[in-house]
Amino acid sequence: VDPGTIEAKRAAVLRGQVTNREGDPIPGVTITILNHPEYGQTLSRSDGMYDLAVNGGGVLTVRYEKGGYLKAQRQADIPWQDFIWLPDVTLVSFDPQATAIDLSAPGLQTARGTRQADADGTRQATLLVPPGTSAQMILPGGGILPLTGSLNIRATEYTVGPNGPKAMPAPL
């Protein structure tokens, strides 16, 4: 059987919804299956809903991506010949606050995200950058590019508000 073909006896349809922290639908989210390019992709509709046909018979990792948002993944055990309603996924937009970090600076530097508050209290994502820290970018195809000079760092808090658990990038 061609691995790019959905087999009638194994076919399953995944359905779910993607929202933001406020619970509003996010249209245009690209949904794919990790390590299974043969299943193609789908986009969430204006109501945040999506459908994707796959071959069932095991655990698949569903990926959610859209520009301006942090990526998310969820695993699901997909049976054959079934219609599977996946749990809602909340995508988190990047924190608007960015901190410039100079990699050549001699002292400790601090990058902080926006202060967040909810029923769990008030908090602020914080990253301490010690002197001598180096950075590199991994390029498509696996190449590595050393980074020098100044970087902008965003520290984004995932679990803010009642949709916090749905906003985690993947189950812990």
Side-chain angles (χ1 to χ4, degrees):
V1 174
D2 176 10
T5 303
I6 302 295
E7 299 175 47
K9 70 180 182 180
R10 294 182 57 201
V13 175
L14 309 180
R15 172 172 271 184
Q17 185 177 37
V18 187
T19 62
N20 62 22
R21 273 195 181 148
E22 292 73 36
D24 300 321
I26 304 176
V29 175
T30 301
I31 294 99
T32 58
I33 304 299
L34 182 66
N35 298 325
H36 286 281
E38 71 273 16
Y39 296 144
Q41 66 181 36
T42 191
L43 296 174
S44 59
R45 300 181 291 274
S46 61
D47 60 359
M49 299 293 297
Y50 65 89
D51 301 283
L52 182 62
V54 299
N55 283 326
V59 175
L60 295 176
T61 301
V62 184
R63 293 179 51 125
Y64 304 85
E65 299 180 54
K66 182 171 181 165
Y69 292 88
L70 297 164
K71 298 174 187 177
Q73 295 183 356
R74 299 292 187 273
Q75 286 191 329
D77 191 0
I78 311 300
W80 289 15
Q81 297 184 341
D82 208 346
F83 185 84
I84 310 303
W85 191 276
L86 298 175
D88 291 352
V89 172
T90 297
L91 291 186
V92 175
S93 57
F94 292 104
D95 192 301
Q97 184 167 313
T99 305
I101 298 293
D102 180 354
L103 294 174
S104 63
L108 183 69
Q109 298 173 82
T110 304
R112 289 204 165 128
T114 304
R115 188 176 298 275
Q116 302 289 335
D118 60 15
D120 293 325
T122 301
R123 58 200 175 278
Q124 186 174 22
T126 302
L127 177 68
L128 302 176
V129 182
T133 296
S134 63
Q136 60 188 18
M137 183 184 313
I138 300 174
L139 303 170
I144 295 176
L145 176 65
L147 300 175
T148 60
S150 183
L151 304 174
N152 287 321
I153 295 180
R154 295 178 190 276
T156 303
E157 175 73 40
Y158 277 98
T159 60
V160 177
N163 290 324
K166 293 181 199 173
M168 291 299 291
L172 298 178

